[in-house]
Amino acid sequence: MKHIKYARTFEVSQELPKKLSGLQELVYNLRWTWDHETKLMFKSINKVLWTESNHNPIALINNLTSKDLMSLQADRGFMQQLKSAHKNLQKYMRAKSWFENQFPEANSNEKIAYFCAEFGINECLPIYSGGLGILAGDHLKAASDLGIPLVGVGLLYSRGYFRQFISPDGWQQEKYPQYNYHEMPIEIVKSENGQPVQIHVDFPDRRVFCRIWKAQVGRISLYLLDSNVLENDHYHKSITDTLYGGNEDMRIRQEVILGIGGMKALKALNITPAVCHMNEGHSAFLTLERMRQLMELNGLSHHEARELVSAGNVFTTHTPVPAGFDLFHNELISKYLIKVLNKLHMPFDEFLDQGRFNEYESDGLFNMAIYAMSNTNSINGVSKLHAKVSQDMFHQKWPNYSIEQVPIKPVTNGVHVETWVSNRMSKLFDRYMGDSWRDPSTDSSIWNAIYDIPDAEIWNIRENQRADLIRFCRNRAAKQQFHKPKAGAILDPRVLTIGFARRFATYKRATLIFSDIDRLRSILHHSEKPVQIIFAGKSHPRDDGGKKYIQEIVKQIQNDDGPQRIFFLEDYDMNIASKLVQGVDIWLNNPRRPLEASGTSGMKVLCNGGLNCSILDGWWAEGYQPGAGWAIGDEEEYSDPGYQDWLDSLSLYNLMESEITPMFYHRNTHGIPEQWLKMVKKSMAILTPAFSTGRMVKDYTNEHYMPANNAYQYLNKEDRKHFYQFKDWRDKLYQEWQHVVIRSVEDQSGNRVKKTDGFNVNAEVALGSLNHEDVCVQAVIGKVGVNGELNDTHAIDLSFESSTDGVFRYTGFIECNASGSWGYVLRVLPKHSVMNSEIHLPLAAWEQDAFFGSNIEHGLSSEMKLVS
């Protein structure tokens, strides 16, 4: 059948009576996704419609009849709910924010643009696949709470990420529904004449047009580009079709649209960001368009524009393995970017060098992470361990630095507590902490009030939330083809419940717990201390290894003849994630260390009274504390994966048998597990505020956004006078650096120092024609390894004292706080008051020409034994 295309379009929407006008603002501001009061109000309108719409308030309202609307107006209880929810939203939007108090001099028009390939705001807006998107959504919500002047930029995928269905034999099937975003809580951005705002990006074969949609996330606007417009042919309409779908050619098209198109969209909206945050390398091409706009406006060269842009860029890497980065063949880069590069007058080879570790990789692939790092003011990993892993991965980009001094810093991920905490638990917090726990600017010590909550109150909530989860699983079981038709025997609301839900990548070892199936079944079906496990998660469509893990879990479910103690929840999304993190007693995470960059799902159980049992990887490597959860194994990493799996499975079984189940089932005379709840309280009080996006976004603002903003503003003001001064300063340093020499070093350590004591270090440094204000002299201190290398290093700045005839004297104090064999070596680095010299000017002069391979191999000016 031939389809008829439209010539003109118009929109039909539900017209709300004046008395219900507040609903319009509530449904289109996604703050309702973390406001229990508003969600309960939506649910009260029509519980069935609310569930069937996948919690989409636009679909809910559009399906109401005139009679329904009249009934709502006549319902005093509902009208009071509506008035209260609307008033709270307006109060939230007008309240003075943390950012305004912290940075009163900041210009709110100088936006921070947060670019990401996916955003997980709510299950009703399916433009996310997993952890990266959920983190991005939580980032926007926390930025809204804190009042950060931030906008989000992403893509609007017409078919989203795939929907998962498990066949009777346990094999994952993928379906891609076509979504109608006119029926979702987003709106097309229109110009003053009422027409949709469009931008275009020039591809080699044609010009591609995109319209812009806006999702309002509290105070934050999220702009989403959509290529499914009439002006494009079928192939180019499909660019924003599926998330992470298609081949390499489609991937680079998406990333050109996200980066270059995203910057064009901001310009079309009269937004000129001072800072651009590249959340992973997918959006890194934004640098090219940002350069083009600066060159066009100010008549700059591409070299000048690149330096200015880099001053205002921030890059976050999320991947702990080289294979995880986007790589493109040079031919593909040329095909899609040569026109852009010609407009910038940038030689193609010069551009390629920015995406390589070094200039000798002429035959290598273009690495998007390396390109982002080459054009940024700061770089961060997403946990302390991940930052260390990344320093090792990217060390060759900074060959003059030790691995531990590679300029990649950690900003550990967090979760948006209000989004993930249950309604029951949030009401409990309100009673004992007031409203302050909701405010991310509140001091974390407020969470100590958790210790004052009676055990019985927390336990009652935990029992009810577990029962809610089991009820949810039983309802889902009836719709899942692969489960046996015995829904009443599925799971038990009184049994210790473990949750395992995440992307089914093979390194996450979803089936580790099945290593000894007989031992596992004895744990699951214990007569007095039984256990049940709920799994959920999707495998990438092309990852058969991950799909086999799912199939193995399904087979274990089907082979269990007793009460069903293993369950798999099909089609994992944010709704299922919420049910799981609120209901499980234990969150299980057992990746192969150190391949988990951070992980955030385990953070979501903290505020809900669940406990973590995890490998010491990602966030848990720094979050684990005895008495606040369990660690599987230790920090040892073995080269034999089979041996590693065997050791970790033994540790997991031992924990379950000897610690977890006995503590859970040991009850006092009132039926309450006192020791278990003691651990729950410690986990909630200490870890919840530490691993929240409130803390995370404040870290980004203080350590990355504002320094980048200050650098960008500094270099751009007064006709870029400071920029040209910086260029002259940088050129001078490159010319004079060969003359920077550490002449002498003296200390009073005597090779043996008492613990808690310290000693002075004095150094003489020749700087050629440079001044002491141009450099920073540091003592790099660490533990001495078996081959004389320094490990676990940190740097202490020495203070300038005086100078004579070009020789500069510095002094510093080294504290000794731990016993062992320690050493130090001096180095000189460039220093600028605003710019991040470690990235923009990676020069270093080391004492005795210290050589770096995997570690410092010589150049120790002093080695000392620290004794008690």
Side-chain angles (χ1 to χ4, degrees), residues 571-818:
D571 201 24
Y572 189 45
D573 65 0
M574 289 184 72
N575 181 41
I576 290 176
S578 292
K579 302 293 185 185
L580 280 167
V581 299
Q582 291 170 14
V584 299
D585 300 294
I586 292 288
W587 194 261
L588 178 62
N589 186 32
N590 43 237
R592 182 170 285 116
R593 177 185 161 105
L595 300 182
E596 186 80 279
S598 175
T600 57
S601 53
M603 300 175 187
K604 299 178 180 86
V605 305
L606 300 171
C607 57
N608 288 295
L611 294 170
N612 280 272
C613 179
S614 176
I615 297 289
L616 290 170
D617 196 11
W619 79 279
W620 195 238
E622 63 196 82
Y624 167 69
Q625 293 188 34
W630 289 273
I632 301 170
D634 51 31
E635 295 180 341
E636 286 293 322
E637 299 165 21
Y638 297 93
S639 57
D640 181 348
Y643 182 63
Q644 183 78 64
D645 292 352
W646 177 72
L647 283 179
D648 291 340
S649 67
L650 285 182
S651 176
L652 175 56
Y653 291 140
N654 289 336
L655 284 173
M656 290 172 68
E657 290 170 333
S658 62
E659 294 188 38
I660 295 173
T661 56
M663 186 184 295
F664 180 83
Y665 285 104
H666 183 71
R667 312 289 169 87
N668 64 16
T669 55
H670 300 289
I672 294 174
E674 291 177 336
Q675 290 304 308
W676 182 271
L677 290 174
K678 182 179 179 181
M679 186 174 276
V680 165
K681 287 182 177 182
K682 183 176 181 180
S683 170
M684 294 175 83
I686 296 175
L687 301 182
T688 301
F691 294 97
S692 72
T693 43
R695 184 273 311 155
M696 180 190 82
V697 173
K698 283 192 285 188
D699 286 351
Y700 273 113
T701 303
N702 290 322
E703 299 169 18
H704 296 272
Y705 294 161
M706 295 313 291
N709 176 76
N710 294 341
Y712 185 78
Q713 302 298 346
Y714 173 82
L715 295 182
N716 272 285
K717 70 180 181 180
E718 298 178 28
D719 293 326
R720 290 168 297 284
K721 176 183 72 175
H722 297 301
F723 169 67
Y724 294 111
Q725 290 174 348
F726 170 75
K727 278 189 63 182
D728 292 342
W729 174 82
R730 183 204 57 194
D731 293 344
K732 182 180 179 182
L733 257 73
Y734 272 119
Q735 294 169 4
E736 292 295 318
W737 199 254
Q738 60 183 321
H739 303 301
V740 176
V741 179
I742 298 173
R743 290 275 187 89
S744 65
V745 182
E746 295 178 352
D747 63 53
Q748 296 88 37
S749 66
N751 290 53
R752 191 171 181 84
V753 184
K754 285 186 178 181
K755 186 178 175 182
T756 72
D757 283 353
F759 57 90
N760 290 311
V761 176
N762 299 303
E764 290 189 344
V765 181
L767 297 178
S769 64
L770 300 178
N771 200 329
H772 70 90
E773 295 173 344
D774 298 324
V775 301
C776 175
V777 178
Q778 296 178 327
V780 179
I781 304 160
K783 292 183 178 180
V784 178
V786 292
N787 297 315
E789 75 278 9
L790 291 181
N791 299 309
D792 301 322
T793 60
H794 66 278
I796 294 177
D797 291 350
L798 273 61
S799 301
F800 168 70
E801 289 286 300
S802 62
S803 65
T804 306
D805 298 328
V807 176
F808 295 78
R809 282 172 284 281
Y810 289 82
T811 186
F813 184 77
I814 293 180
E815 291 184 289
C816 304
N817 297 320

Side-chain angles (χ1 to χ4, degrees), residues 14 52 178 198 208 500 591 639 773:
Q14 178 76 275
E52 290 179 350
Q178 189 78 35
Q198 284 196 348
V208 177
F500 182 100
S639 57
E773 295 173 344

Side-chain angles (χ1 to χ4, degrees), residues 62 104 151 158 175 300 347 414 486 514 559 673 713 746 786 852:
N62 285 344
V151 295
S158 59
K175 291 185 180 180
L300 304 174
K486 53 175 185 176
F514 298 126
N559 292 337
Q713 302 298 346
E746 295 178 352
V786 292
F852 297 92

Side-chain angles (χ1 to χ4, degrees), residues 526-550:
H526 193 282
S527 59
E528 297 177 352
K529 300 188 289 286
V531 176
Q532 57 197 9
I533 311 172
I534 302 173
F535 290 91
K538 297 177 179 180
S539 172
H540 190 280
R542 293 192 292 273
D543 183 3
D544 283 352
K547 290 184 179 182
K548 287 177 181 176
Y549 279 176
I550 294 173

Side-chain angles (χ1 to χ4, degrees), residues 388-624:
K388 289 182 178 180
V389 171
S390 298
Q391 287 174 321
D392 194 11
M393 267 199 302
F394 294 104
H395 181 217
Q396 58 179 299
K397 187 167 175 59
W398 286 272
N400 292 323
Y401 285 35
S402 65
I403 290 175
E404 290 157 329
Q405 301 301 320
V406 168
I408 301 176
K409 310 302 181 186
V411 176
T412 302
N413 284 343
V415 299
H416 188 255
V417 175
E418 278 195 88
T419 294
W420 299 103
V421 70
S422 72
N423 189 33
R424 286 190 181 93
M425 201 64 79
S426 68
K427 288 180 178 178
L428 183 71
F429 294 163
D430 286 341
R431 286 205 306 273
Y432 287 90
M433 289 186 279
D435 219 24
S436 298
W437 69 272
R438 302 171 187 273
D439 184 354
S441 64
T442 303
D443 190 275
S444 61
S445 62
I446 191 176
W447 287 87
N448 290 332
I450 293 291
Y451 295 113
D452 299 326
I453 302 175
D455 287 355
E457 291 195 47
I458 294 180
W459 186 240
N460 180 57
I461 289 175
R462 290 294 315 137
E463 293 268 73
N464 278 290
Q465 289 182 177
R466 190 186 319 110
D468 288 344
L469 173 60
I470 303 311
R471 195 159 38 247
F472 178 80
C473 291
R474 289 177 177 177
N475 289 336
R476 294 288 292 241
K479 304 172 185 176
Q480 298 184 165
Q481 296 182 24
F482 58 92
H483 274 291
K484 296 178 181 179
K486 53 175 185 176
I490 291 174
L491 309 175
D492 185 330
R494 300 161 298 179
V495 168
L496 171 65
T497 303
I498 296 175
F500 182 100
R502 54 191 38 85
R503 182 167 56 92
F504 267 66
T506 51
Y507 80 85
K508 294 179 184 282
R509 300 189 297 181
T511 58
L512 182 72
I513 200 167
F514 298 126
S515 299
D516 185 337
I517 194 62
D518 291 334
R519 188 172 180 184
L520 175 62
R521 292 201 182 280
S522 70
I523 294 170
L524 299 180
H525 297 285
H526 193 282
S527 59
E528 297 177 352
K529 300 188 289 286
V531 176
Q532 57 197 9
I533 311 172
I534 302 173
F535 290 91
K538 297 177 179 180
S539 172
H540 190 280
R542 293 192 292 273
D543 183 3
D544 283 352
K547 290 184 179 182
K548 287 177 181 176
Y549 279 176
I550 294 173
Q551 188 174 49
E552 183 178 343
I553 292 169
V554 171
K555 286 182 178 178
Q556 294 298 339
I557 293 170
Q558 294 172 339
N559 292 337
D560 194 351
D561 294 326
Q564 196 158 339
R565 296 282 189 245
I566 308 172
F567 188 79
F568 188 93
L569 274 168
E570 189 179 65
D571 201 24
Y572 189 45
D573 65 0
M574 289 184 72
N575 181 41
I576 290 176
S578 292
K579 302 293 185 185
L580 280 167
V581 299
Q582 291 170 14
V584 299
D585 300 294
I586 292 288
W587 194 261
L588 178 62
N589 186 32
N590 43 237
R592 182 170 285 116
R593 177 185 161 105
L595 300 182
E596 186 80 279
S598 175
T600 57
S601 53
M603 300 175 187
K604 299 178 180 86
V605 305
L606 300 171
C607 57
N608 288 295
L611 294 170
N612 280 272
C613 179
S614 176
I615 297 289
L616 290 170
D617 196 11
W619 79 279
W620 195 238
E622 63 196 82
Y624 167 69

